[in-house]
Amino acid sequence: MTVPDGLRAGLGRDAVGVPARFGFKILSRLPAKGCVYADSDWWWWLVPAGSDADLAWPLPACYAPGAEIPDRRPRLIHRPDGDSPYTPPIPLYLLVCQLTGIAPSWSAPVRAGSA
């Protein structure tokens, strides 16, 4: 997926996909939305690269590093108002967890000196 002209993707880009049946629910409930792409089966949100660090995205969500989605050609269906293409990953993650009925789960950061 390419970033539309005029938007800055200085944090790299990954994508989070969900089956289309969740698409409108997520789009309508997110307080901030970046670029959203869709085809008949999946909806994809651009997130900063590394948005999977310490997060276990629940199935059936799909995390796509580099926003590379083989065998799919989703089209842009939502363009953000500002100049950032990103959807904030934490609200997206929590909403995906809620809609799939999976409890959020992430690793606590390891602190120096604690082993």
Side-chain angles (χ1 to χ4, degrees):
M1 290 182 291
T2 60
V3 176
D5 290 340
L7 300 180
R8 294 179 286 149
L11 300 175
R13 68 175 190 255
D14 290 346
V16 175
V18 298
R21 69 180 180 272
F22 296 118
F24 283 114
K25 289 179 185 176
I26 292 173
L27 189 62
S28 68
R29 294 179 185 178
L30 279 173
K33 304 162 198 69
C35 292
V36 181
Y37 300 80
D39 60 29
S40 61
D41 299 319
W42 286 83
W43 285 39
W44 300 89
W45 279 260
L46 281 186
V47 293
S51 293
D52 60 338
D54 300 323
L55 290 178
W57 287 88
L59 292 175
C62 178
Y63 192 86
E68 296 291 329
I69 305 162
D71 303 325
R72 298 222 173 255
R73 298 207 187 277
R75 62 183 174 79
L76 182 67
I77 62 167
H78 179 270
R79 185 183 171 110
D81 294 331
D83 61 356
S84 172
Y86 305 120
T87 293
I90 298 301
L92 177 60
Y93 172 76
L94 293 172
L95 190 52
V96 169
C97 287
Q98 179 185 26
L99 291 174
T100 59
I102 305 295
S105 173
W106 50 80
S107 303
V110 176
R111 295 180 186 230
S114 57

